[in-house]
Amino acid sequence: MKLSRAAFHWLQAQVDKLADVSLSEEELRFLSAACTYLNEQYLQFLSNFRLQPSKQTKITFNPNQDTGQDNDLGDVVVHTQGLWVDTILYEIPLLALISEAYFKFCDHDWTYAGQVEKARRKGAQLLENGCIFSEFGSRRRRDYHTQDLVLQGLRQAQDDAAPNGWKGKLSGTSNVHFAMKHGLLPIGTVAHEWFMGVASITNDYENANEIALRYWVATFGEGVLGIALTDTYGTPTFLKAFKKTIPAFTSAAPGPAATLASATAGSTMPTTSNLSKTKPPIHAPSEGETAGKKTYAQVFTGVRQDSGDPLNFIKLMRDFYDEQGIKDKKTIVFSDSLNIELCLKYKAAAEAQGFQPTFGVGTFLTNDFIKDSSGKKSIPLNIVIKIASAVGRPAVKISDNIGKNTGDKATVAEVKQRLGYEEKDWAGGDERTRWGKDDEQAPEAATWDA
């Protein structure tokens, strides 16, 4: 799925405009009210933050056959570089703009017709079947307008839920802008990049999961933003860290005052920042006695499944919690290439094992189109951005599905050996055709072509 030279030029122009994006007063008030886990210092940082694409990004176009024409097709290479605190914020806009560029210039055999009603019907099916779900479709949406239409439809479905007695719930959207616009809760989970960056900076892959969890809990507190992502280096490796006891932390506020991480959410101190007695860089060990009572698995609300076989994951987590003697009802968030059929399938399986399932549904909602000329499916781009290196070392991801592994091949092989990683093969994990094939008939073409 190549981009044209015209798409490349448009993309470059949009990326240049990211330098003009800033937080408005209205947005700041919304974040302060809706995202109470963001402290005043961080909100102040966001208020003054500006991306600098001219310094931090490089986009190149490599045509297959260079005729100099706008319709030349080729590969677009996007590279960002800079401080992690800056560059991490490029992922969402870059992916959304790349997808929009493709469907604006390369595949424009589609219209917006029926998008609101399609989203409303999908939402109604999920709600009627008792699914708790959120909209996760920003990164691979067709464009901004599509996502806006989809959220209109989902809101209509939610409005229909109460009078019809549907037990499901639209819990929110991962797009904070649309959360504010449509009166929804901004909702999401920790990204693979957090674990990847920690591992690359420390070069301690054996303990990277635990280090990342330790900083997370110390920053936000126990039970706050409490969905753990398990598959950055394979779920079995993650679970070795997940069952460890949480060390004793305090905030990094000046002076002798300190609170345990478990109390940070209710602390009256002005900030909760780093680990007590931990010096930069991040790989410096924490000192002191452990809290000695709770494990990460106990305090986290649940886990997110994002690669590999979801049914095997459910069984793996059931066995893990049982072995740990954890009786609390935990949540599993499913977020890997979902549609209605898969949501219902995983819901039944998770509930049968005593879990509360929830779903982050993305591309199926915000990039579900048919070609006007043929009625066949208009295939979304299956694109991601991952951290490539930090402090000069490659950053890699080794998921529960080989198709989602990313990064320097030699480092991937080394880390697999260091961790004793066992390769998993899942029939549903072919990333090349995850969203369909070009000649595939759209299953709902007759229903949605309105």
Side-chain angles (χ1 to χ4, degrees):
M1 299 174 78
K2 308 290 185 179
L3 266 67
S4 67
R5 189 187 304 274
F8 160 71
H9 286 311
W10 180 88
L11 175 63
Q12 180 68 73
Q14 306 315 305
V15 172
D16 291 343
K17 293 177 183 178
L18 293 177
D20 301 326
V21 175
S22 62
L23 196 69
S24 70
E25 286 295 327
E26 181 186 11
E27 290 165 341
L28 178 61
R29 289 192 296 271
F30 177 78
L31 283 175
S32 182
C35 305
T36 55
Y37 41 82
L38 301 179
N39 62 35
E40 291 182 12
Q41 285 78 1
Y42 184 70
L43 292 175
Q44 182 63 39
F45 161 78
L46 284 183
S47 298
N48 298 317
F49 178 80
R50 299 293 186 276
L51 293 169
Q52 301 181 61
S54 63
K55 297 178 180 179
Q56 297 163 335
T57 69
K58 182 180 180 180
I59 308 177
T60 56
F61 179 65
N62 302 320
N64 296 340
Q65 293 184 329
D66 192 354
T67 70
Q69 300 300 308
D70 280 350
N71 59 358
D72 286 347
L73 298 178
D75 295 322
V76 171
V77 179
V78 183
H79 180 79
T80 67
Q81 185 169 331
L83 293 177
W84 195 9
V85 71
D86 299 328
T87 55
I88 194 172
L89 295 176
Y90 278 102
E91 178 186 1
I92 306 302
L94 281 176
L95 286 173
L97 288 169
I98 290 167
S99 181
E100 184 171 353
Y102 181 81
F103 290 105
K104 189 178 184 71
F105 292 92
C106 305
D107 175 5
H108 37 74
D109 185 14
W110 54 273
T111 71
Y112 297 109
Q115 281 294 308
V116 173
E117 181 60 23
K118 182 186 288 191
R120 182 176 184 172
R121 294 190 191 185
K122 288 176 179 178
Q125 284 183 268
L126 292 169
L127 296 169
E128 187 176 5
N129 284 279
C131 292
I132 301 172
F133 72 99
S134 54
E135 183 274 313
F136 271 21
S138 295
R139 295 182 303 170
R140 290 186 284 271
R141 69 192 185 191
R142 186 134 306 201
D143 58 13
Y144 175 95
H145 185 55
T146 298
Q147 190 171 14
D148 196 16
L149 295 175
V150 165
L151 283 163
Q152 290 177 38
L154 295 179
R155 281 299 313 271
Q156 291 174 15
Q158 182 63 69
D159 291 341
D160 294 337
N164 286 291
W166 300 338
K167 301 299 183 183
K169 181 181 180 182
L170 173 61
S171 54
T173 171
S174 61
N175 187 302
V176 185
H177 163 75
F178 281 124
M180 184 176 75
K181 181 175 181 179
H182 291 283
L184 295 169
L185 184 69
I187 190 168
T189 66
V190 62
H192 291 102
E193 182 168 340
W194 171 235
F195 295 91
M196 293 172 67
V198 168
S200 179
I201 291 167
T202 64
N203 196 29
D204 186 359
Y205 285 86
E206 292 81 359
N207 297 295
N209 282 308
E210 199 273 331
I211 295 170
L213 289 170
R214 192 190 314 166
Y215 271 81
W216 191 266
V217 173
T219 299
F220 297 110
E222 295 179 13
V224 181
L225 302 178
I227 297 297
L229 181 59
T230 68
D231 69 329
T232 310
Y233 301 109
T235 296
T237 296
F238 176 87
L239 294 181
K240 294 176 184 177
F242 207 38
K243 65 184 179 183
K244 289 185 177 181
T245 302
I246 302 174
F249 304 120
T250 57
S251 80
T259 61
L260 289 174
S262 59
T264 56
S267 173
T268 58
M269 296 196 320
T271 183
T272 53
S273 302
N274 279 331
L275 306 179
S276 170
K277 302 181 181 178
T278 300
K279 305 175 182 66
I282 196 171
H283 63 260
S286 60
E287 304 169 4
E289 301 296 323
T290 65
K293 302 299 181 184
K294 295 181 179 180
T295 65
Y296 296 103
Q298 288 174 311
V299 304
F300 273 80
T301 308
V303 292
R304 173 157 72 104
Q305 191 277 332
D306 195 57
S307 66
D309 187 341
L311 300 181
N312 286 346
F313 181 85
I314 293 168
K315 183 179 185 305
L316 179 65
M317 292 311 305
R318 182 71 278 152
D319 290 344
F320 171 80
Y321 283 122
D322 289 347
E323 289 168 1
Q324 297 302 305
I326 295 174
K327 305 298 183 183
D328 300 343
K329 188 171 186 176
K330 297 292 187 177
T331 296
I332 297 181
V333 179
F334 297 93
S335 60
D336 186 16
S337 306
L338 298 175
N339 57 30
I340 291 171
E341 179 184 0
L342 294 177
C343 287
L344 300 186
K345 178 180 179 181
Y346 303 153
K347 178 179 184 291
E351 289 177 342
Q353 293 290 341
F355 291 107
Q356 172 62 65
T358 67
F359 305 92
V361 186
T363 310
F364 174 66
L365 291 172
T366 60
N367 206 329
D368 186 11
F369 285 79
I370 61 170
K371 292 182 179 292
D372 263 9
S373 61
S374 65
K376 293 182 179 179
K377 187 170 179 60
S378 177
I379 308 297
L381 276 70
N382 193 17
I383 51 175
V384 296
I385 287 177
K386 288 288 181 282
I387 185 171
S389 66
V391 295
R393 278 192 289 268
V396 301
K397 172 174 174 277
I398 307 171
S399 71
D400 290 335
N401 169 27
I402 191 171
K404 285 196 166 187
N405 293 351
T406 63
D408 176 70
K409 291 183 178 179
T411 305
V412 168
E414 176 195 343
V415 173
K416 285 182 178 180
Q417 184 177 24
R418 286 169 62 174
L419 298 179
Y421 176 86
E422 295 183 11
E423 206 70 72
K424 301 290 193 307
D425 186 22
W426 176 46
D430 187 349
E431 294 297 319
R432 295 169 299 177
T433 57
R434 177 58 63 93
W435 292 110
K437 302 175 183 178
D438 283 335
D439 60 350
E440 187 174 61
Q441 192 70 27
E444 297 176 326
T447 303
W448 305 124
D449 190 12

